[in-house]
Amino acid sequence: MQQNIRIAPSILSADFAELGKEVKNIDAAGADYIHIDVMDGHFVPNITIGPGVVKALRPHSEKPFDVHLMVAPVDPYIAAFAEAGADIITVHAEAGPHTHRTIQSIKSLGKKAGLSLNPATPASAIDSLIDQLDLILVMTVNPGFGGQKFIENQIDKIQEIRRRIDESGRTIDLEVDGGIDTSTAKRVIEAGADVLVAGTASFRGGAECYKDNISQLRASK
Ligand code: DX5
Ligand code: ZN
């Protein structure tokens, strides 16, 4: 069942020189999750932040930290992000041969486990793991950078995954990430998404705009 729409601002679009303040402001503006993009310069062509930054940000918000690991290999880093204060840890289906083990290790640390699919990865990649997942993240851009254009053909995949989640009878967040603004938000919500990651669209205009940015995204129906 599609849950209430939740907004997960990606701090990749925040002012990195003021990250603590930015997290506080976006929390106060109504963010449901704080989306943290971790990139390793290997799985994706960009390098962002590590567990030390997650730990430093933890006192600045009580909202769930939704940590998106674009990292391969990922297993050696799961414990560090769990200890740093991640609530949801999402790994990529393409990041290694033993995703099942990775998901189990996230769960064994008492954290929620997410699986992310790159645009070229089919919906069926979730099938053998769906009974353990708390979140499925559909990438609607190629991961690596904020501010990219939404990839249209992911709408069908969102619909397919919505059907699979409903058939499973489990409560699983269906999150989308990349190129989300008020117009693409409407379409992904119609397709069945219920958590919207938004970097550019959340942080545009500076702190005085964050509240409006988030409520407009939430109301994109
Ligand atoms: C892309 C990241 C996204 C990104 C979204 O690799 O996973 O979370 O920050 O940025 P926008 O919303 O600007 O497309
Ligand atoms: Zn992300």
Side-chain angles (χ1 to χ4, degrees):
M1 201 181 70
Q2 193 167 10
Q3 304 168 71
N4 290 338
I5 303 305
R6 281 145 301 147
I7 308 300
S10 162
I11 62 167
L12 193 57
S13 297
D15 179 353
F16 268 41
E18 304 268 12
L19 265 189
K21 203 158 99 194
E22 290 278 68
V23 165
K24 223 176 232 159
N25 286 339
I26 207 74
D27 172 329
D32 297 289
Y33 296 167
I34 307 296
H35 186 82
I36 302 175
D37 286 308
V38 176
M39 305 185 185
D40 68 349
H42 168 72
F43 180 68
V44 290
N46 196 3
I47 299 177
T48 55
I49 65 183
V53 176
V54 175
K55 188 174 178 199
L57 292 175
R58 191 61 277 188
H60 295 267
S61 171
E62 291 183 1
K63 301 279 170 69
F65 274 12
D66 172 27
V67 176
H68 177 192
L69 298 180
M70 287 160 273
V71 174
V74 69
D75 289 355
Y77 303 100
I78 300 288
F81 283 100
E83 278 159 27
D87 297 287
I88 307 164
I89 298 180
T90 296
V91 299
H92 269 262
E94 309 82 7
H98 305 298
T99 317
H100 190 276
R101 177 183 296 148
T102 307
I103 297 294
Q104 280 180 325
S105 92
I106 297 170
K107 304 287 275 188
S108 74
L109 293 163
K111 304 298 179 181
K112 291 191 170 173
L115 184 69
S116 181
L117 307 186
N118 278 338
T121 303
S124 58
I126 65 169
D127 288 350
S128 62
L129 292 162
I130 195 162
D131 58 334
Q132 310 197 38
L133 295 174
D134 300 294
L135 179 147
I136 296 165
L137 172 54
V138 176
M139 291 306 302
T140 43
V141 296
N142 290 297
F145 303 95
Q148 302 182 81
K149 194 173 175 302
F150 182 83
I151 300 174
E152 289 296 327
N153 63 16
Q154 297 303 298
I155 292 278
D156 288 353
K157 191 157 90 190
I158 297 165
Q159 282 169 343
E160 269 186 59
I161 292 179
R162 165 52 54 205
R163 207 177 45 245
R164 285 167 151 87
I165 291 175
D166 290 349
E167 276 168 19
S168 79
R170 301 186 67 242
T171 302
I172 301 175
D173 287 355
L174 177 44
E175 185 175 57
V176 290
D177 186 0
I180 299 297
D181 56 21
T182 48
S183 89
T184 52
K186 177 175 156 50
R187 302 187 37 235
V188 297
I189 292 168
E190 273 164 17
D194 48 24
V195 183
L196 312 183
V197 176
T200 309
S202 299
F203 284 94
R204 68 161 58 100
E208 63 278 16
C209 300
Y210 295 171
K211 195 160 187 238
D212 282 351
N213 292 346
I214 290 176
S215 41
Q216 278 165 21
L217 285 167
R218 205 190 301 282
S220 310
K221 284 181 193 147

